[in-house]
Amino acid sequence: LQKQPGQEDLLASLAKNRMLAGQQLVATGPNGEVGLTIESRTQYQKASDAWSEYLKATDEPNPNLAQQMANVLYSLAQISRTYQEADVNIAAAAEAQKIYAEQRPTLNALSTLALFTLFSGDVKEAEKLNAEAEKKAGSKFQREQLGNQFDAAKKSAAEFRKNRAEAEKAAQEASKNGGNPESIENPLGGVLGGNGLTE
């Protein structure tokens, strides 16, 4: 990339390799649960940077890489230290998932996009996407499951938006009074319900 800056294939490879490095550095708990470490988050952030450069360089993003990056960006959103950081990551996750869903509009692709879109704040678009996903359901049970998942996510997304608004208000108050607004906006654990980083 130093010799060929902006070369899309190289940027795609860099994003994928950073993502794989991040996956290798996750910690596995005693019950098989997986948690991001500081090292894995660093690699995921570098993957995100390479992905952003790749999107600028290409006219036709690779849908498979887009889907993988959507998951990486959502993981970053879950462990974000501020609401602003979470917003940026969830919007990027929704954008990447949209690239994939437009190429492969499957039930899973659309329902995942609906969830990411919910958290990015566009409830009407999320409802439309979830309705499209439900049309692809193979059974009434599957449709109900999708609906229940979406309703639960809707509540979580509304809670996230409410907490974000409260944090912004508190940050404004703190900066007026000469305090440190960042410490108020910095939620414990992940702002999207992630568990924070694992040692």
Side-chain angles (χ1 to χ4, degrees):
L1 278 165
Q2 286 175 340
K3 290 178 185 172
Q4 300 175 34
Q7 215 284 332
E8 66 179 88
D9 291 342
L10 292 175
L11 287 164
S13 292
L14 181 61
K16 188 166 190 167
N17 287 326
R18 292 289 192 194
M19 175 188 63
L20 291 172
Q23 289 170 351
Q24 295 296 315
L25 292 165
V26 297
T28 307
N31 300 321
E33 69 276 9
V34 173
L36 290 189
T37 60
I38 292 167
E39 294 83 6
S40 60
R41 179 176 70 185
T42 299
Q43 290 300 325
Y44 278 1
Q45 285 170 329
K46 288 180 177 180
S48 172
D49 293 342
W51 171 250
S52 295
E53 290 300 311
Y54 168 71
L55 288 179
K56 289 177 199 164
T58 186
D59 293 327
E60 288 184 38
N62 179 305
N64 292 331
L65 181 59
Q67 184 196 29
Q68 293 169 326
M69 283 307 303
N71 292 326
V72 165
L73 292 159
Y74 185 70
S75 293
L76 285 173
Q78 287 184 300
I79 57 160
S80 294
R81 292 163 292 190
T82 66
Y83 287 95
Q84 188 177 8
E85 190 183 319
D87 269 345
V88 169
N89 285 320
I90 198 66
E95 179 190 20
Q97 185 66 23
K98 186 176 182 183
I99 291 166
Y100 177 71
E102 283 175 347
Q103 293 289 320
R104 301 195 174 96
T106 63
L107 182 147
N108 284 341
L110 290 167
S111 63
T112 302
L113 179 57
L115 297 179
F116 291 176
T117 304
L118 251 186
F119 278 98
S120 66
D122 192 343
V123 177
K124 281 190 177 170
E125 179 64 16
E127 286 172 343
K128 191 177 107 183
L129 289 162
N130 195 62
E132 281 181 51
E134 284 184 3
K135 284 179 193 168
K136 295 184 179 291
S139 66
K140 184 183 174 193
F141 174 74
Q142 205 174 29
R143 267 191 305 280
E144 284 173 2
Q145 219 175 5
L146 272 177
N148 292 340
Q149 181 186 14
F150 187 78
D151 290 344
K154 212 171 177 180
K155 286 177 188 163
S156 297
E159 185 73 17
F160 170 68
R161 294 279 145 209
K162 180 177 159 240
N163 292 343
R164 188 192 196 292
E166 286 171 4
E168 279 178 358
K169 188 177 175 186
Q172 287 170 355
E173 291 295 319
S175 60
K176 272 186 208 167
N177 300 329
N180 180 2
E182 187 61 29
S183 65
I184 290 172
E185 196 187 353
N186 188 350
L188 293 172
V191 294
L192 282 180
N195 297 322
L197 293 174
T198 304
E199 291 302 321

